[in-house]
Amino acid sequence: MPKTHVAVIGAGHAGCEAALASARLGCDTVLFTLSLDGIANMPCNPSVGGTGKGHLVFELDALGGEMGRVADMATLQSRTLNESRGSAVRSKRVQADRAKYKELMTSVLMHTENLRLHQAEIVSVNIKDGRVDSVTTRLGVRWECSAVVLATGTYLGGVVHVGDINYPAGPDGSLPASFLTESLRGVGLPLQRFKTGTPVRVDAATVDFSRLERQDGESSPVPFSYYTSEDYLDGVEQVPCHIVYTNEDTHRVIRENLHRSAMYSGNIHGRGPRYCPSIEDKLVRFADKERHQLFVEPMGRDSGELYIGGFSTSLPAEVQYQMLRTLPGFERAHITRTAYAIEYDCLDPTCLSATLAVRGIEGLYSAGQANGTSGYEEAAAQGLVAGANAALFVKKEPPLIIGRSTSYIGIMIDDLITKGAREPYRIMTSRSEYRLYMRQDNADARLTELGRAAGLIPDDRWQAYLRKMSDIDEEIRRLDRTFVPPDDETNAFLASHASAPLRSGASLSELLRRPELDYASLAPLDRDRPSLSPAVIRTAETAVKYEGYIKKQEAAVRRAHAHETTLIPPDTDFSKIGGLSREAVEKLDARRPLSVGEASRLDGVTPADVSVLLIYLGR
């Protein structure tokens, strides 16, 4: 019988990060995949980041993950969303070369110590005496292991729908994982059924781009990863994207055939994503809209295929051609890949703990769409947490727990395990109580020390992090102690920027806090400023400009963190704690929260119950 410490089932974005985290922590790890050709596949849009999602990628990189570095290397176009709305909600997004992303991630996996790839379908996870014992392949090979990470994506019980035609399949016409569902159900895991989908892919040579609105990338893009120099991205030739809009003809075709959509014919029973609906769902939900914006984006630098974002559908194939050719510039468009919807099995994530371990089964972890989330970024972030904790479990070391008050990763995990997912979950900046504190630019300041403590941050990265933090602190101090006199030159400069004149000296920090001024514009008044990296400047500028607001949020974070770090012993008998309501006892006993913070967010646990818990625990 072959053996390994950690078995990761599925090589999508969750599985890749899980396997890398486990292997980098020194555990022998086997990454099982239905096809070695499908590793790190992007069956939907080959993009990374976006609103809220970009924050996840920066946080993942700060913890030692891989997605950001590979996305940088595969960038076709980079843009910062919400640029005009302030640093709290700015989110980086890149359109990636699909083939290059897969190639680069596969290479990283193949050359990582302690990590083996194996093409096989896992049909059962075997439990013995309440803990993981082994996994079995469809060929009957039993792999002994101490921990398992479920990263099954949309493959688990996958069924593809196009109109009234449906058949078992994974994404992109791949094989589904047809047998594992029964094994998971057999060991008592609560399962639910979700749905997602993709739009048509189109041959770029058959599209008239002169009739589309061109969308270029940004200059001097900020990389996702510490390992990527900003000079590298400056040298990348960015590929344009385009925008087109649906029209009344498009809507007429869809309405006439709405009864043939798998979504509306009753063939699909799984719940679909609220924030990425199909085009027919948009017409029903937003019937007053005269048009809908679609994004025409390249699949690769040399692929010749286009992705039509916002045009997801499960209408019949011939209807897809009719609706596509109503779009300006697409009158002669050729479809290379037909749109489809896919139903799949996933866990009810309330069965998980904050480590992404399945409660009641030692050594079993789950990550990604297997937990009811949507998106590559949500999957990858969970993968790192689950993979790291599987390895730490094997090594009998303290787990990696990421709190809600410190990161979007923590928010996502906390939402999943306390509220569950009644539809595919998507991260958004609005989910954070501390948005100004949880910015993209300070992800490393929030999480790198946590990643280092878990063993995920190598020495070179750690030393660079310390240098960066030192540079930021020194620059903030320099701005505080560098004063500008109220002379004619200074006031003429301020007048040119529609800023009030000085009557007495002011520090550069005071000037920087003025809304009409920024770090770059102050250069004429700050001639002796040091040469610093753009990353240091961004964080120092934000820290100074929003100092008062940030300090208030940091104080709130510290208070919340006190609850998150007040751990509840796993053998606590809640029925013996006087003062807890009956409902609280039932909820706490069923969910077994790891901390008071997690307990406070359970339905049925009141602030009074939290106070009782704190008193009981000596706080």
Side-chain angles (χ1 to χ4, degrees), residues 44-55 57-58 71-72 75-82 89-96 215-218 221-224 233 238-239 241-242 295-298 307-310 376-377 426 440:
C44 201
N45 196 353
S47 68
V48 175
T51 304
K53 294 171 178 285
H55 288 69
V57 183
F58 279 98
D72 286 341
T75 293
L76 294 174
Q77 187 191 95
S78 176
R79 296 178 63 230
T80 298
L81 309 183
N82 301 322
V89 294
R90 288 176 191 151
S91 296
K92 176 181 170 70
R93 178 191 186 274
V94 303
Q95 189 70 16
Q215 189 177 48
D216 290 311
E218 62 190 345
V222 177
F224 277 124
L233 288 182
Q238 298 197 44
V239 178
C241 297
H242 294 81
F295 298 92
V296 183
E297 298 173 314
Y307 181 93
I308 316 299
Y376 310 143
E377 303 82 2
R426 177 178 179 175
Q440 288 187 157

Side-chain angles (χ1 to χ4, degrees), residues 423-566:
E423 60 191 30
Y425 177 96
R426 177 178 179 175
I427 196 65
M428 295 178 289
T429 54
S430 60
R431 296 188 188 275
S432 172
E433 301 90 336
Y434 314 108
R435 285 191 293 178
L436 193 52
Y437 172 67
M438 293 183 194
R439 308 182 309 275
Q440 288 187 157
D441 68 89
N442 71 344
D444 50 0
R446 292 184 281 113
L447 294 172
T448 299
E449 292 186 25
L450 190 61
R452 175 70 172 182
L456 292 168
I457 302 297
D459 291 343
D460 64 331
R461 173 71 183 272
W462 178 244
Q463 292 304 318
Y465 163 76
L466 294 177
R467 287 193 298 272
K468 179 183 176 183
M469 294 301 106
S470 176
D471 288 346
I472 291 169
D473 290 342
E474 179 55 37
E475 181 61 359
I476 292 171
R477 287 194 294 269
R478 189 191 70 82
L479 293 168
D480 282 338
R481 63 177 182 245
T482 302
F483 283 81
V484 176
D487 55 23
D488 292 342
E489 181 185 355
T490 298
N491 286 330
F493 167 84
L494 293 174
S496 70
H497 287 78
S499 192
L502 294 180
R503 295 183 179 180
S504 61
S507 70
L508 289 172
S509 291
E510 290 175 284
L511 294 178
L512 187 54
R513 291 189 189 104
R514 295 186 177 189
E516 65 273 13
L517 300 175
D518 58 26
Y519 189 91
S521 68
L522 286 174
L525 302 182
D526 187 20
R527 295 184 179 90
D528 296 326
R529 63 173 45 171
S531 176
L532 298 170
S533 72
V536 168
I537 292 171
R538 279 191 297 271
T539 302
E541 178 178 14
T542 301
V544 170
K545 205 167 189 65
Y546 303 102
E547 179 184 21
Y549 300 103
I550 291 172
K551 283 185 175 179
K552 287 181 181 178
Q553 290 209 344
E554 286 176 341
V557 166
R558 284 192 294 272
R559 290 192 295 270
H561 188 63
H563 282 189
E564 302 298 341
T565 54
T566 302

Side-chain angles (χ1 to χ4, degrees), residues 253-531:
V253 170
I254 294 171
R255 291 191 188 100
E256 288 175 355
N257 292 280
L258 192 61
H259 64 286
R260 304 179 66 191
S261 164
M263 275 291 296
Y264 289 92
S265 66
N267 287 338
I268 291 178
H269 303 287
R271 186 73 64 85
R274 177 187 302 266
Y275 301 103
C276 190
S278 65
I279 188 64
E280 56 264 39
D281 203 17
K282 287 180 188 177
L283 259 64
V284 172
R285 288 166 55 183
F286 309 107
D288 58 319
K289 297 291 185 181
E290 295 182 359
R291 65 177 190 171
H292 292 277
Q293 188 178 53
L294 307 178
F295 298 92
V296 183
E297 298 173 314
M299 298 278 284
R301 195 172 295 277
D302 303 311
S303 77
E305 269 191 303
L306 299 172
Y307 181 93
I308 316 299
F311 214 44
S312 172
T313 185
S314 61
L315 283 162
E318 72 273 12
V319 178
Q320 293 182 29
Y321 256 115
Q322 293 174 36
M323 55 196 264
L324 176 69
R325 289 183 169 175
T326 65
L327 303 177
F330 286 81
E331 291 85 356
R332 300 176 59 191
H334 171 68
I335 294 175
T336 55
R337 306 187 202 211
T338 303
Y340 62 88
I342 183 170
E343 280 188 294
Y344 56 96
D345 295 323
C346 58
L347 299 186
D348 175 349
T350 58
C351 73
L352 303 174
S353 74
T355 64
L356 294 181
V358 174
R359 292 187 179 95
I361 301 178
E362 290 188 32
L364 183 57
Y365 297 80
S366 184
Q369 287 180 279
N371 292 344
T373 58
S374 66
Y376 310 143
E377 303 82 2
E378 289 90 342
Q382 291 174 72
L384 179 138
V385 174
N389 278 315
L392 293 168
F393 167 78
V394 170
K395 297 168 69 176
K396 296 181 170 58
E397 294 182 6
L400 172 64
I401 298 177
I402 303 178
R404 182 184 188 91
S405 60
T406 58
S407 68
Y408 282 95
I409 295 177
I411 289 169
M412 171 178 61
I413 292 173
D414 185 69
D415 282 349
L416 291 171
I417 66 176
T418 59
K419 300 183 179 78
R422 297 297 169 257
E423 60 191 30
Y425 177 96
R426 177 178 179 175
I427 196 65
M428 295 178 289
T429 54
S430 60
R431 296 188 188 275
S432 172
E433 301 90 336
Y434 314 108
R435 285 191 293 178
L436 193 52
Y437 172 67
M438 293 183 194
R439 308 182 309 275
Q440 288 187 157
D441 68 89
N442 71 344
D444 50 0
R446 292 184 281 113
L447 294 172
T448 299
E449 292 186 25
L450 190 61
R452 175 70 172 182
L456 292 168
I457 302 297
D459 291 343
D460 64 331
R461 173 71 183 272
W462 178 244
Q463 292 304 318
Y465 163 76
L466 294 177
R467 287 193 298 272
K468 179 183 176 183
M469 294 301 106
S470 176
D471 288 346
I472 291 169
D473 290 342
E474 179 55 37
E475 181 61 359
I476 292 171
R477 287 194 294 269
R478 189 191 70 82
L479 293 168
D480 282 338
R481 63 177 182 245
T482 302
F483 283 81
V484 176
D487 55 23
D488 292 342
E489 181 185 355
T490 298
N491 286 330
F493 167 84
L494 293 174
S496 70
H497 287 78
S499 192
L502 294 180
R503 295 183 179 180
S504 61
S507 70
L508 289 172
S509 291
E510 290 175 284
L511 294 178
L512 187 54
R513 291 189 189 104
R514 295 186 177 189
E516 65 273 13
L517 300 175
D518 58 26
Y519 189 91
S521 68
L522 286 174
L525 302 182
D526 187 20
R527 295 184 179 90
D528 296 326
R529 63 173 45 171
S531 176

